[in-house]
Amino acid sequence: MAAAAVMLQALCRFCRVLLFLFQFYILSGGGSLNLEQSQPLAQSIKDPGPTRTFTVVPRAAESTDIPPYVMKCPSNGLCSRLPADCVECKTNFSCVYGKPVTFDCTVKPSVTCVDQDFKSQKNFIINMTCRFCWQLPETDYECSNSTSCMTVSCPRQRYTANCTVRDHIHCLGNRTFPKMLYCNWTGGYKWSTALALSVTLGGFGADRFYLGQWREGLGKLFSFGGLGIWTLIDVLLIGVGYVGPADGSLYI
């Protein structure tokens, strides 16, 4: 029994020595090699390396927009009859006013036309009269209307209108231009209706009420047509067109 106890104590001492040596080995840096070797591995796992960015550049889309002037240009029509917005002409401003003149013209892109033999054509000659667009007759252009001027006035009023040449008319200079025109618009009042009211119910001011002149209408109503004198005068004034609608428009 004593021998067994001695052997057990010796084994415990031996284990303590081994534990001490193992701790000393770790503390002295023996395990740093494995730690250092494990760090690059960890870095190789965590660090994916430099990233590459790819920029996707979209391809330029092919232009499929149709020019706005193409809507005015008839397809496969005669080139000489194309509207002015469909062609480009080499004009000469030194021509003699009112005389016939010819100009070399070329159709614009996306416009197709033919000659008299129905062959495709790009260059052609156009015949026209030498004059600027603002010198055209009134039937060859359209102008804006004004409802803010008095048509019945002395002297007759004018207003500045913006005029545009019709598509099939060819001329020199700008196709849009300002022009002074006489006031010429109507509010829907009929001359025949105003005259009939003046003859029949003029003593009650019906004609003046119809024309929008309510102050004069009230005056005629409460004075019984100015005892008939005002009524006769209004019949003459409306008959000759001197008295018109209150808004300054013309009769229809």
Side-chain angles (χ1 to χ4, degrees):
M1 293 295 293
V6 173
M7 291 181 61
L8 182 60
Q9 292 179 357
L11 182 60
C12 291
R13 292 177 180 176
F14 180 72
C15 291
R16 291 177 181 175
V17 172
L18 289 178
L19 180 60
F20 174 77
L21 293 176
F22 180 72
Q23 292 178 352
F24 179 78
Y25 175 76
I26 293 176
L27 294 176
S28 63
S32 63
L33 180 61
N34 294 331
L35 183 61
E36 292 178 357
Q37 292 178 354
S38 62
Q39 288 179 354
L41 180 60
Q43 291 179 358
S44 63
I45 296 175
K46 295 181 181 180
D47 189 5
T51 58
R52 297 180 181 179
T53 57
F54 298 92
T55 304
V56 179
V57 180
R59 296 178 59 186
E62 296 181 357
S63 178
T64 58
D65 296 337
I66 300 176
Y69 59 81
V70 176
M71 304 301 295
K72 300 181 180 180
C73 307
S75 180
N76 296 324
L78 290 177
C79 295
S80 57
R81 295 184 180 180
L82 285 176
D85 293 337
C86 305
V87 299
E88 294 179 350
C89 299
K90 298 179 180 179
T91 56
N92 183 9
F93 293 94
S94 62
C95 58
V96 180
Y97 171 76
K99 298 295 183 180
V101 65
T102 58
F103 294 127
D104 296 329
C105 299
T106 304
V107 295
K108 291 184 178 180
S110 304
V111 178
T112 57
C113 62
V114 296
D115 56 8
Q116 295 182 352
D117 297 331
F118 300 100
K119 295 181 180 179
S120 179
Q121 191 177 25
K122 291 295 184 182
N123 302 317
F124 60 97
I125 296 176
I126 191 172
N127 299 317
M128 56 179 291
T129 303
C130 179
R131 56 188 172 186
F132 288 94
C133 294
W134 58 270
Q135 296 173 325
L136 292 171
E138 295 182 358
T139 56
D140 292 342
Y141 54 83
E142 297 178 348
C143 297
S144 59
N145 293 324
S146 175
T147 58
S148 60
C149 60
M150 301 291 292
T151 57
V152 181
S153 62
C154 185
R156 192 175 178 185
Q157 291 185 1
R158 293 172 178 259
Y159 70 98
T160 303
N162 292 323
C163 302
T164 303
V165 181
R166 300 183 185 274
D167 292 337
H168 64 281
I169 302 298
H170 296 274
C171 56
L172 301 177
N174 295 327
R175 299 184 62 82
T176 301
F177 53 90
K179 194 167 187 177
M180 296 294 297
L181 299 178
Y182 285 110
C183 295
N184 186 18
W185 64 282
T186 178
Y189 298 95
K190 293 184 178 180
W191 172 82
S192 59
T193 303
L195 183 60
L197 291 174
S198 181
V199 174
T200 58
L201 300 174
F204 301 98
D207 50 353
R208 292 284 184 165
F209 284 122
Y210 172 74
L211 296 175
Q213 302 174 6
W214 60 272
R215 294 185 180 86
E216 292 81 355
L218 291 175
K220 292 182 68 174
L221 177 62
F222 291 109
S223 65
F224 299 101
L227 300 178
I229 299 176
W230 194 350
T231 302
L232 294 177
I233 294 175
D234 273 357
V235 170
L236 294 177
L237 295 179
I238 293 176
V240 298
Y242 184 81
V243 174
D247 57 4
S249 62
L250 294 175
Y251 290 113
I252 59 175

